[in-house]
Amino acid sequence: MSEMKGEYLRYIKNDSIAGLVVFLVAVPLCLGIALASGAPLFSGLIAGIVGGTVVAFLSGSQTSVSGPAAGLAAVVLSAINSLGAFETFLLAVVIAGAIQAVAGLLKGGFIANYFPSSVINGLLVAIGVILILKQIPHALGYDADAVGEFAFNQPDGSNTFSEFLNLFGRVDDGATIIALISFAILFFWGKIPALKKSIVPPALIVVVLGVVVSQLFKSIAPGLTISPEHLVSVPVSTSLGGFLEFFTFPDFTQITNYNVYIAAFTIAIVASLETLLNLEAVDKMDPHKRHSPPNRELLAQGIGNMTAGLIGGLPITSVIVRSSVNIQSGGRTKMSAIIHGFLILGVVAFVPQILNMIPLSALAVILIMTGFKLASATVFKKMYAKGWNQFIPFMATVLAIVFTDLLIGIVIGLAVGIFFILKSNMASSFHIFKENHYTKEVIRIKLPQITSFLSKAAFRQTLEEIPEHSEVILDATEADFIDNDIMEAIRDFQNVNAPERNISLSLVGFKEEYKLKDHTNYVNVVTEEVQKTITPQMALEILKQGNERFVKNECIEKDFKHQMRTTAQGQYPMAAVLACIDSRTSTEIIFDLGLGDIFSVRLAGNVANEDVIGSLEFSCKVAGAKLIVVLGHTNCGAVKAACDHTQLGNITKLLDKIQPAINAEVTTREGRNSKNADFVMNVTKLNVENTMRYICEHSEILAEMLEKGEIGIVGGVYDVKTGVVNFTELRTNIVYQPSRAMSMRVN
């Protein structure tokens, strides 16, 4: 809590300025939405006050600003008319708030996770376009349409576009001049370095100058005087009693009226959806990309609507216009929203006359510039670049909102967005991989997080196309939900189709609720039978393929629990690898191997001694490994230390075993130390060859097995930068047979 207080204090200057700008924009919007809703004008201001105080205080969002919403205007107008009295409507608002609060407590905000980003981006752009189109008439002094009216079809019979035709002959010269001055200030402010660094927001300058110029017109140019209908019009009271009369209370005698509950549920559903969608959009605009908790927001909105309904306010939601102005004005925390709420309360209660001096044309220009930022050409380009699956729902949302209203447009946008999501799911609902498991190819079918019935046809077709005698893994480890139709197809394949076609089916990762136990038929460890079929050449090829997968980051998924259970009673590794202790050379990882696949012997500098040879003899003679790999690596610390003739305790004796390789390196005349990368690399390769030779010369058991071809021995060098194990650059890349004094290549 103390950290949050510190953050609020740290940004109080930013938040105060942003709160002031949002307050100036919010007041006419509150009044306009109330007018468009057929409600008392003051009910819009009450909603703005509650949204900026109660909701902002309880909300978890740092940037969202709540208040009366244009998207609810049609719902409110219909509800007031159907219920017959504004007081009865207020009771519906109180009940709607209670429903929202309960939904928040029951974590109903999860639905926000399913709003397509294309629709959210479309909402932002559509609001921007509407702000531009709707505010241009107000900027020119034609205010026939309410400031908060966002619907395409207007109450006066005009629409968004026909309103421009109505402008001819009705442009107010004084309002237009103020609009042009305001536009110049906002346009050039950010282009002048000194002004750009100023803490005073240009929007505030626009409002102040608008008031000053409007007053000047009265005294020096009466012909340009701004008439009252082109100014903000806040209800004014002459006393405290008169101010209190603006508040209205719900009619609780209508508590048994079922129409009240129909209106309440309608308001709760629409307000909740609009809030959650707006909240996602606001988070997208937040330059700090903070996440707002949706469940807490529903609870906050619910309590806010209960409060608003009890004192005569309109329903409240999170509002894009106010929130975007807040962000663009530099608001950092929720204090900006709280400040804006208290400013509405204080100014409306004590000095409403000041607000009534503000020209609507100045505020219109602020909103127009906000619209241009929301609907910039860059957004269209980015959405187009994402492909038709994103661009079409995006454009459908934009056009639907602009040509209908906010609520209908969002529903249309969501419908189109969901259609493309479902279409995408049908096209690519699951992933198929082919994996090489030793001597077998295994087909892995991985189910997605949400495996819906839409995947049924494609899923059945995939199962039908699996060849006979295949090894198949159905992997549900990432699936949170599997539809019953898919489960039915899996059971049919398991019980009928797979046995009839001699397909070995393994099930992995299915949750208990599906009553389908994990069952592993495929062999993903080296068993005794598999080990007997592997030759030295085959073992080397398996290691090469594994390293290739490792380099490409295409490693086979491993069921370590299954490997652990399978190898608990015995081990049958195919190879033994002598490698350096270097932390970057974990042999099981770089060869994409699992439990029970190899013996791993590790010693600094991959040198050999009696203990190492004893371990290799056990690996091959007793446990049946078919291949010995001596693995060096680039940038080896032990080799470097040997090249520098380091003397340090017991390390000295270990490094002495690398000295023969240093002596054998005769191509380098100068710079025979660790700073010479070529010299170190040459010594590394020679050290691998010497270790191979040392093993063969000091183990009669291994020499005999080599002579009989029962095992092979090969050297390689691992590159710590690329991950590649190179088996081809060593002169003795061989199966070594000392009695014949010859070499025979493995590959």
Side-chain angles (χ1 to χ4, degrees), residues 348-560:
V348 168
F350 299 108
V351 284
Q353 298 86 351
I354 294 178
L355 290 178
N356 291 342
M357 298 169 65
I358 301 175
L360 291 176
S361 60
L363 297 176
V365 172
I366 295 174
L367 293 175
I368 289 171
M369 296 303 288
T370 298
F372 275 114
K373 291 179 181 178
L374 290 174
S376 67
T378 304
V379 180
F380 286 90
K381 291 178 181 178
K382 286 182 178 179
M383 294 305 299
Y384 181 76
K386 290 182 178 181
W388 293 112
N389 284 352
Q390 290 285 311
F391 187 69
I392 292 178
F394 163 76
M395 285 303 302
T397 305
V398 173
L399 295 174
I401 292 176
V402 170
F403 284 99
T404 58
D405 60 32
L406 195 60
L407 180 59
I408 295 175
I410 287 173
V411 171
I412 293 173
L414 286 173
V416 176
I418 290 171
F419 170 79
F420 275 90
I421 289 174
L422 296 178
K423 182 174 178 290
S424 177
N425 265 346
M426 292 179 69
S428 56
S429 57
F430 46 87
H431 302 283
I432 303 173
F433 306 92
K434 289 186 177 180
E435 303 172 346
N436 290 318
H437 288 257
Y438 314 115
T439 59
K440 295 182 179 180
E441 182 180 74
V442 176
I443 300 171
R444 182 184 294 270
I445 302 174
K446 180 170 284 191
L447 304 182
Q449 185 177 12
I450 305 297
T451 311
S452 72
F453 69 94
L454 297 169
S455 307
K456 181 178 178 180
F459 184 65
R460 284 190 180 277
Q461 183 177 354
T462 298
L463 295 179
E464 290 172 1
E465 292 175 354
I466 294 174
E468 294 184 357
H469 310 290
S470 296
E471 294 274 355
V472 178
I473 304 172
L474 280 180
D475 188 344
T477 52
E478 296 180 2
D480 291 334
F481 169 78
I482 305 175
D483 188 81
N484 286 330
D485 286 354
I486 301 297
M487 289 304 304
E488 181 181 350
I490 292 173
R491 290 190 180 95
D492 288 345
F493 185 72
Q494 179 190 30
N495 298 327
V496 180
N497 305 113
E500 287 180 352
R501 293 156 56 195
N502 293 316
I503 293 173
S504 177
L505 177 65
S506 298
L507 305 176
V508 177
F510 286 86
K511 295 181 179 179
E512 292 184 7
E513 62 193 82
Y514 298 116
K515 298 179 181 179
L516 200 64
K517 292 183 179 180
D518 286 6
H519 180 68
T520 305
N521 281 329
Y522 74 99
V523 178
N524 68 338
V525 297
V526 183
T527 62
E528 184 176 10
E529 292 75 15
V530 172
Q531 188 192 58
K532 288 178 179 178
T533 64
I534 293 178
T535 64
Q537 289 83 357
M538 290 172 61
L540 178 60
E541 191 59 34
I542 291 171
L543 295 181
K544 286 182 176 180
Q545 291 174 359
N547 179 244
E548 184 177 349
R549 292 194 301 271
F550 168 73
V551 172
K552 293 180 179 179
N553 199 27
E554 297 175 353
C555 293
I556 294 173
E557 294 196 27
K558 297 169 183 63
D559 186 345
F560 288 113

Side-chain angles (χ1 to χ4, degrees), residues 134-145 154 156 158 162-168 170-172 175-176 229-230:
K134 289 287 189 179
Q135 295 303 319
I136 286 177
H138 294 294
L140 299 178
Y142 182 64
D143 300 300
D145 191 29
Q154 300 171 179
D156 61 359
S158 298
S162 66
E163 194 77 344
F164 287 94
L165 299 176
N166 298 334
L167 276 171
F168 290 104
R170 299 178 181 178
V171 173
D172 185 282
T176 302
E229 64 265 25
H230 302 319

Side-chain angles (χ1 to χ4, degrees), residues 23 49 53 243 338-355:
F23 151 71
I49 293 168
T53 54
F243 176 73
I338 294 173
I339 289 169
H340 121 277
F342 279 105
L343 281 173
I344 297 177
L345 175 60
V347 174
V348 168
F350 299 108
V351 284
Q353 298 86 351
I354 294 178
L355 290 178

Side-chain angles (χ1 to χ4, degrees), residues 42-108:
F42 203 77
S43 65
L45 294 173
I46 292 172
I49 293 168
V50 174
T53 54
V54 176
V55 176
F57 180 77
L58 297 174
S59 173
S61 174
Q62 299 299 320
T63 51
S64 173
V65 182
S66 296
L72 279 173
V75 174
V76 172
L77 180 62
S78 174
I80 292 175
N81 290 333
S82 65
L83 294 175
F86 184 64
E87 291 79 6
T88 306
F89 166 75
L90 292 178
L91 178 59
V93 175
V94 174
I95 296 172
I99 294 170
Q100 284 185 290
V102 171
L105 293 173
L106 296 177
K107 302 188 184 304

Side-chain angles (χ1 to χ4, degrees), residues 590-613:
I590 64 178
F591 288 120
D592 189 25
L593 301 171
L595 300 178
D597 289 344
I598 61 169
F599 285 104
S600 183
V601 185
R602 303 186 68 176
L603 202 64
N606 45 273
V607 297
N609 57 24
E610 290 182 355
D611 297 324
V612 169
I613 291 177

Side-chain angles (χ1 to χ4, degrees), residues 578-707:
L578 169 58
C580 182
I581 63 168
D582 192 286
S583 62
R584 299 164 293 180
T585 59
S586 299
T587 49
E588 286 86 355
I589 295 176
I590 64 178
F591 288 120
D592 189 25
L593 301 171
L595 300 178
D597 289 344
I598 61 169
F599 285 104
S600 183
V601 185
R602 303 186 68 176
L603 202 64
N606 45 273
V607 297
N609 57 24
E610 290 182 355
D611 297 324
V612 169
I613 291 177
S615 298
L616 296 176
E617 288 176 343
F618 174 82
S619 302
C620 298
K621 190 67 177 178
V622 179
K626 301 301 179 68
L627 182 68
I628 296 172
V629 178
V630 179
L631 186 66
H633 68 93
T634 60
N635 203 26
C636 178
V639 172
K640 285 183 174 182
C643 290
D644 291 336
H645 305 288
T646 300
Q647 302 290 312
L648 183 61
N650 290 318
I651 297 176
T652 304
K653 292 183 179 179
L654 185 145
L655 297 180
D656 287 343
K657 295 184 178 297
I658 303 176
Q659 192 60 45
I662 296 174
N663 296 336
E665 208 288 326
V666 295
T667 60
T668 303
R669 301 293 184 180
E670 297 180 355
R672 293 174 63 85
N673 53 51
S674 62
K675 295 181 180 180
N676 187 334
D678 291 336
F679 176 65
V680 172
M681 190 68 238
N682 291 340
V683 172
T684 297
K685 295 176 182 178
L686 289 168
N687 183 52
V688 170
E689 296 173 358
N690 285 344
T691 299
M692 293 168 61
R693 188 171 291 106
Y694 182 92
I695 291 169
C696 296
E697 291 175 351
H698 289 77
S699 173
E700 294 182 3
I701 292 175
L702 296 177
E704 182 180 354
M705 295 183 74
L706 281 165
E707 186 173 353

